[in-house]
Amino acid sequence: MKEVIVHPERCVGCMQCMAACATAHSRSGNLLSAICEIPIPKSRVHVAPGLYDEGFPNRCRHCDPAPCELACLPGAISRDRRTATVLIDPDRCINCASCAMACPFGVIRYHETCAAPAGKTVAVKCDNCVQRQAQGKIPACVEICKTGALTFEEKSEALRRRTKEMAMRVSIGADQREIPGAEGFVLLNALKRSRKEVGASEL
Amino acid sequence: MRHVIIGNGVAGVHAAETIRHLDPQASITIIAGEIFPPYCRPMISLVLEGSVQPKQLPIRAPDFYSRLDIEPMTGTRVSEIDVDNREVRTSRNDRVAYDRLLIASGAEPRPLNVPGTELRNIFFMRSEGHVNGMIEALENARHVLILGGGLVGFKAAYGFLHRGVEVTMLIKSAYPLSMQVDPEAGGMVLDELVRHGLHVRVGVEVTAFEGIASVERALLSDGSTLPCDIAVIGKGVFPATSFIPTDRIHKDLGLLVNEHLETDVPDVFAAGDVAEYFDVARDRRWVNAIWPVAVEQGRIAGFNMAGRPVTYLGSLGRNVIRVFDLDVLSAGVVEPPEEDGCEVMVHRDLNRRFYRKLVFRQDRLVGMVLVNRIEQGGVLVSLIQQQRPILKDKERLLNPRFNVAQLTL
């Protein structure tokens, strides 16, 4: 089964995934109309600054067993086995914030959405774009990501690719193939880190 | 294997589900005093408030018992446990034999020993039945008196304020929720309640209730009288252990259990509000009578009863409440005594009504209070639960922009 995999070292913090996520969960599904909608659509993936201001797309891990599901008082949180997705039912949610206390990743937010009854604040988080997946599309954050920080693939495949990239870098003369182009991210993150460490305000 | 579970609260329900998951053949019996199907106790205050309908309370489908092949004995109380003959005796004179027993009998409200508590419309707030009684009494009520500023008293007050009646709260300490939050956050909660019409009397207690049939007034320790049509007693709870042979199954405040939630008697387990185990933040034995701890303990007791040894790392007191426009989330030790030598960090932005307090014991986070912007509360709670050392820059945890990405070091 394919799932969204985060490669934090490739995130440049451009936040395009946030715009795509908010659009995908809007009424119109179109960025230009979405920004005029009430309630204003909000992203469910949160690009947060790390210790050295490096980008980090923080999204629901769809844990199993899920701490939020065990903590939910009205039983609004459940697991969709087919897509390995933890879902919140906005009709059953009572906005008690028990899940805020349970989520070790801090990915749940509380606001109105077009999927909830009008005027009702509910707990909101990533749903793996189950509706888009049902239409044969991939999750919106992955579709928009330009740097490969978010991919949609089999976990084993992602691990294999990762191992190969590492091996290629250190294997002398294994192949005449070009070195995979991840070095730019390393440089960018090193720059951000050094800037933070020397306390400089500008790059 | 015959499993018997005393109590159909959330600990008992999770234990039964876990046992059934691991052992499809086991016989499981649940003995419960309440006749309601398993329901969500923390939500009863929302029924009082009117934001939740009673039909939303059940936590499992009506066919819960039959689907999991559990034999329910509801409306039945346990009168005795015979640990030598591995047998439970009930109020209906039944004898139920067990191979493994779980005591998940929960807690009972602490009674108030003053004259007049037998009058009508004086309630505890512990069960669905209590709240139904309050709503019925509301029809002709104008003044509500709440005894106690703990979580229950506070939730009752909040519910009644939403119903538009006059509410007076009597509290012992200077601010409500003194077990959950520190004075500063408690003051913010108090201000918010008072702003919405709550009357608060500090340091006074009820000495008697008076009335004909129903309660009409309360006499207070300062000599004054307060008219009231409804009174709610929120003086805390204590573990329900009246039927336990405590010469065999030892107890402190709650029943003492080991890391497998087993009592001193082999094959007798305890979980939830009735059990006492190690508190990871306080670093000592403690009863944390809260819903999420009952869920954890029910599951872990279930694993161990079904023969899979699972260790419980310890419980943690934690709560989250929304008070009108304030969100308050707290966990662990919030007001450490001086001699503990804890390091306390505070960040406040009172214009934005943002307050964050963190308590560290050496390099471990052991407590916190958040007022507003509580979304990252779970990250901090999990740091306390994991007892994960924070080796440098503890201050970053105080920043409103703190998030899980800043933990990868």
Side-chain angles (χ1 to χ4, degrees), chain A residues 48-52 56 58 61 65 70-71 73-74 94-98 100-106 108-110, chain B residues 14 40 42-43 46 52 59 291 295 299 318-320 322 374-379 381-382 396 401 403-406 409:
Chain A
L51 262 190
Y52 303 103
F56 180 75
N58 194 16
R61 272 58 161 190
L70 288 173
L73 296 182
I94 56 167
N95 187 32
C96 65
S98 291
M101 196 163 67
C103 177
F105 302 105
I108 307 174
R109 299 291 181 274
Y110 303 85
Chain B
H14 274 275
C40 184
M43 276 167 64
L46 302 173
V52 159
I59 52 170
W291 174 272
V295 173
R299 282 170 58 82
R318 52 201 193 265
N319 269 291
V320 59
R322 298 189 190 271
I374 59 167
E375 290 85 355
Q376 302 302 314
V379 181
V381 167
S382 83
R396 75 191 127 113
R401 276 156 54 100
N403 65 80
V404 74
Q406 299 176 2
L409 246 189

Side-chain angles (χ1 to χ4, degrees), chain A residues 85-101:
Chain A
T85 301
V86 175
L87 294 170
I88 304 179
D89 178 347
D91 292 314
R92 295 191 76 160
C93 174
I94 56 167
N95 187 32
C96 65
S98 291
C99 48
M101 196 163 67

Side-chain angles (χ1 to χ4, degrees), chain B residues 70-381:
Chain B
I70 295 167
E71 189 190 337
M73 297 175 70
T74 52
T76 309
R77 292 197 176 270
V78 171
S79 53
E80 207 182 319
I81 300 172
D82 183 343
V83 294
D84 293 318
N85 295 310
R86 292 177 172 251
E87 205 173 69
V88 169
R89 296 192 191 128
T90 72
S91 51
R92 300 181 174 180
N93 282 326
D94 287 325
R95 287 157 178 260
V96 186
Y98 65 83
D99 297 310
R100 299 223 166 102
L101 175 69
L102 175 66
I103 304 167
S105 48
E108 282 166 7
R110 201 177 292 282
L112 185 71
N113 292 317
V114 301
T117 46
E118 73 290 346
L119 290 168
R120 278 182 50 201
N121 296 342
I122 298 178
F123 300 99
F124 295 116
M125 193 166 78
R126 180 70 189 166
S127 68
E128 189 179 352
H130 293 151
V131 166
N132 291 341
M134 289 180 208
I135 292 172
E136 224 168 86
L138 252 175
E139 230 167 276
N140 305 308
R142 288 173 49 215
H143 298 283
V144 177
L145 182 63
I146 311 282
L147 281 64
L151 204 57
V152 164
F154 158 80
K155 284 185 168 185
Y158 188 67
F160 281 115
L161 282 177
H162 269 266
R163 295 276 183 167
V165 284
E166 289 273 313
V167 186
T168 305
M169 186 191 252
L170 307 184
I171 51 181
K172 236 191 271 167
S173 56
Y175 60 94
L177 305 176
S178 56
M179 294 291 284
Q180 282 79 29
V181 300
D182 64 332
E184 183 156 354
M188 292 170 89
V189 171
L190 182 61
D191 289 349
E192 185 72 2
L193 289 170
V194 169
R195 208 159 62 88
H196 285 86
L198 180 76
H199 306 287
V200 176
R201 303 276 296 269
V202 174
V204 252
E205 286 177 294
V206 168
T207 52
F209 290 107
E210 287 182 352
I212 307 162
S214 304
V215 64
E216 288 166 25
R217 67 192 92 70
L219 309 184
L220 305 184
S221 52
D222 63 356
S224 62
T225 309
L226 209 61
C228 63
D229 317 298
I230 296 178
V232 180
I233 301 170
K235 292 286 182 190
V237 296
F238 62 91
T241 57
S242 57
F243 59 93
I244 308 280
T246 46
D247 54 328
R248 304 293 300 278
I249 303 172
H250 297 122
K251 72 165 206 166
D252 174 34
L253 174 62
L255 302 179
L256 301 177
V257 290
N258 65 16
E259 70 276 21
H260 300 302
L261 299 179
E262 196 167 10
T263 65
D264 290 336
V265 176
D267 294 326
V268 177
F269 296 75
D273 293 1
V274 77
E276 177 173 322
Y277 187 58
F278 183 73
D279 179 308
V280 291
R282 293 176 194 271
D283 205 18
R284 55 169 293 194
R285 283 194 162 273
W286 200 261
V287 178
N288 281 309
I290 55 171
W291 174 272
V293 165
V295 173
E296 291 162 12
Q297 294 189 346
R299 282 170 58 82
I300 289 181
F303 280 123
N304 286 293
M305 290 169 74
R308 182 186 288 185
V310 174
T311 298
Y312 186 44
L313 294 178
S315 66
L316 173 68
R318 52 201 193 265
N319 269 291
V320 59
I321 40 170
R322 298 189 190 271
V323 198
F324 297 107
D325 293 331
L326 279 188
D327 298 335
V328 182
L329 193 155
S330 70
V333 181
V334 294
E335 202 50 9
E338 194 85 14
E339 64 273 16
D340 260 23
C342 285
E343 185 182 354
V344 174
M345 291 180 183
V346 171
H347 175 90
R348 58 171 76 76
D349 180 347
L350 295 182
N351 288 332
R352 298 205 180 102
R353 299 218 290 170
F354 173 72
Y355 175 71
R356 180 172 283 196
K357 172 181 182 173
L358 302 177
V359 180
F360 292 91
R361 188 181 293 126
Q362 281 102 43
D363 55 4
R364 310 278 162 98
L365 183 66
V366 294
M368 61 152 174
V369 182
L370 311 182
V371 178
N372 287 337
R373 303 186 72 166
I374 59 167
E375 290 85 355
Q376 302 302 314
V379 181
L380 297 168
V381 167

Side-chain angles (χ1 to χ4, degrees), chain B residues 21-41:
Chain B
H21 180 68
L22 292 181
D23 185 354
Q25 309 303 329
S27 130
I28 304 175
T29 303
I30 291 185
I31 306 175
E34 293 203 57
I35 50 164
F36 298 105
Y39 67 92
C40 184
R41 195 180 300 284

